[in-house]
Amino acid sequence: MNICNAGRIMVLLGLLALFGMGQAMAAEREYWVAAEKVTWNYAPSGKNLIKPDDGLGVWGKTLTYPKYRYFGYKDGRYKERLVQPEWAGILGPQLRAEVGDTLKVHFLNKTDRALSMHPHGVFYDKKSEGADAASTGAGIGAAVPPGKSFTYTWVVDEASGPGPTDPSSIVWLYHSHVMEEEEANLGLVGAIIVTRQGVARSTRDPSPNDVDQEFITLFMIFNEENGEESGMKHTINGRIFGNLKGYDTGIGKRVRWHVVALGNETDNHTVHWHAQTVLDHGRRTDVVEVLPASMTSVDMVPRSPGNWLLHCHVDDHMMAGMSTRWNVAPAK
């Protein structure tokens, strides 16, 4: 064998090895999700935890309502629910992937109406769109009947992942899309987090290795009483007046906030963190603007200990309870 041929073989073997490594890094990630009917309390404490002397006002007349939620399960037996962080509130389970992965989402409808799971951002064929039931090829996945199940296949290709100026992970929404104008308001909302290829913590854990914590915040006004003011619940992850808890971090932590919104024309929100700035795609700010179906991811490193406000800066929304707190522990 001459030197030229040997060189070509070595190059070919190297390319095959790199291709094999790329194939090995791609994973098929399975999730089991059920839609279930529940009773939801917008303020479990029964109190205004932001301004106790003001009370809950008209928004406290009724706090519990029937809702529909997505729940994550350990496997296809749907016996053992996955534990959600306290701050997740009404949100469905987080679906995580690294660019190059495929998501297999097994959906069981345990409710009394046809529902679906429609994702933003990821790649899918017509059967896995989770919407547009009247369209040719949509199939059962567009409207899963009560008691039935369907497996969605969503490919996390390069166009699903962070762009050149994005942080190392970004957020996409998923929600039911049979009667889409109703179902987000019912509570059927969750998030998909996609990590840039090569930045995942491990093969089993696709969360990014360059941050310590990731939080998700859904800013949304739930309409519970056909437009009556008492039923317009101005929430962060489904809680009002500081009743959302669990946003706990510490000085010097690398924290990523995934900020999303859904709802109606009144869901124009200006998300503000007290005592801290965030880096929003290269722009330094402490207020991030979101509209219905907006999704953005911003980074911070807390520098001031305390129990700080996080709220929408629209005056009417603040007054109606769209506020909570995030806690920064001092350095040890």
Side-chain angles (χ1 to χ4, degrees), residues 204-249:
R204 297 187 64 180
D205 181 3
S207 58
N209 60 21
D210 60 347
V211 296
D212 299 308
Q213 292 175 284
E214 291 177 280
F215 296 130
I216 304 168
T217 60
L218 168 68
F219 283 75
M220 180 174 171
I221 304 169
F222 287 87
N223 181 355
E224 296 289 3
E225 298 172 9
N226 297 316
E228 294 294 325
E229 186 63 21
S230 59
M232 303 299 288
K233 307 302 186 185
H234 294 62
T235 74
I236 304 174
N237 292 358
R239 304 289 194 200
I240 58 175
F241 291 105
N243 277 264
L244 182 68
K245 299 181 179 180
Y247 286 141
D248 297 315
T249 185

Side-chain angles (χ1 to χ4, degrees), residues 3-327:
I3 295 175
C4 289
N5 285 337
R8 291 191 187 100
I9 291 171
M10 291 298 293
V11 170
L12 179 60
L13 289 173
L15 290 173
L16 287 172
L18 286 173
F19 177 77
M21 288 173 59
Q23 293 294 100
M25 286 189 291
E28 182 176 279
R29 303 191 186 275
E30 287 190 280
Y31 290 92
W32 290 266
V33 181
E36 302 177 25
K37 195 170 182 179
V38 300
T39 298
W40 183 253
N41 190 326
Y42 286 98
S45 72
K47 300 177 181 178
N48 181 340
L49 300 178
I50 302 298
K51 294 184 177 180
D53 292 343
D54 290 353
L56 295 168
V58 65
W59 304 281
K61 287 183 177 180
T62 303
L63 292 174
T64 58
Y65 296 85
K67 306 297 285 182
Y68 293 69
R69 291 186 60 194
Y70 292 123
F71 290 98
Y73 281 86
K74 183 178 180 181
D75 55 39
R77 294 175 296 174
Y78 293 94
K79 299 293 185 183
E80 185 178 345
R81 279 186 186 170
L82 299 179
V83 177
Q84 286 270 79
E86 188 177 18
W87 55 257
I90 204 168
L91 293 174
Q94 298 172 42
L95 309 181
R96 286 187 171 271
E98 182 182 9
V99 170
D101 292 345
T102 297
L103 290 171
K104 290 282 188 181
V105 183
H106 308 286
F107 174 57
L108 173 62
N109 184 0
K110 298 171 72 173
T111 77
D112 54 2
R113 59 186 288 166
L115 298 171
S116 72
M117 292 181 67
H118 167 65
H120 288 237
V122 294
F123 177 83
Y124 46 79
D125 63 15
K126 195 65 185 177
K127 290 182 180 179
S128 289
E129 181 184 12
D132 195 17
S135 178
T136 303
I140 188 178
V144 181
K148 300 297 182 180
S149 62
F150 182 81
T151 297
Y152 298 97
T153 301
W154 301 333
V155 177
V156 185
D157 60 3
E158 185 177 356
S160 307
T165 62
D166 283 324
S168 61
S169 62
I170 58 173
V171 63
W172 300 106
L173 285 163
Y174 68 85
H175 54 87
S176 188
H177 209 296
V178 181
M179 298 288 287
E180 61 275 15
E181 69 278 8
E182 298 179 9
E183 290 156 358
N185 191 69
L186 290 176
L188 292 162
V189 184
I192 303 167
I193 309 296
V194 175
T195 298
R196 181 176 283 117
Q197 193 170 50
V199 190
R201 289 183 180 275
S202 68
T203 303
R204 297 187 64 180
D205 181 3
S207 58
N209 60 21
D210 60 347
V211 296
D212 299 308
Q213 292 175 284
E214 291 177 280
F215 296 130
I216 304 168
T217 60
L218 168 68
F219 283 75
M220 180 174 171
I221 304 169
F222 287 87
N223 181 355
E224 296 289 3
E225 298 172 9
N226 297 316
E228 294 294 325
E229 186 63 21
S230 59
M232 303 299 288
K233 307 302 186 185
H234 294 62
T235 74
I236 304 174
N237 292 358
R239 304 289 194 200
I240 58 175
F241 291 105
N243 277 264
L244 182 68
K245 299 181 179 180
Y247 286 141
D248 297 315
T249 185
I251 290 292
K253 293 283 188 180
R254 300 168 299 174
V255 183
R256 180 161 297 151
W257 294 83
H258 300 292
V259 184
V260 297
L262 274 173
N264 220 315
E265 70 275 3
T266 53
D267 281 283
N268 304 312
H269 305 299
T270 49
V271 179
H272 174 48
W273 295 262
H274 282 213
Q276 185 55 46
T277 61
V278 298
L279 195 61
D280 180 10
H281 299 81
R283 179 177 69 105
R284 186 71 69 182
T285 183
D286 65 358
V287 176
V288 174
E289 304 84 7
V290 285
L291 302 171
S294 290
M295 299 157 281
T296 192
S297 302
V298 298
D299 286 350
M300 69 161 61
V301 178
R303 68 190 194 277
S304 183
N307 200 19
W308 305 109
L309 285 173
L310 166 63
H311 62 90
C312 176
H313 223 298
V314 176
D315 290 345
D316 290 348
H317 298 179
M318 276 193 290
M319 292 172 58
M322 194 171 265
S323 299
T324 192
R325 289 193 173 91
W326 66 292
N327 184 61

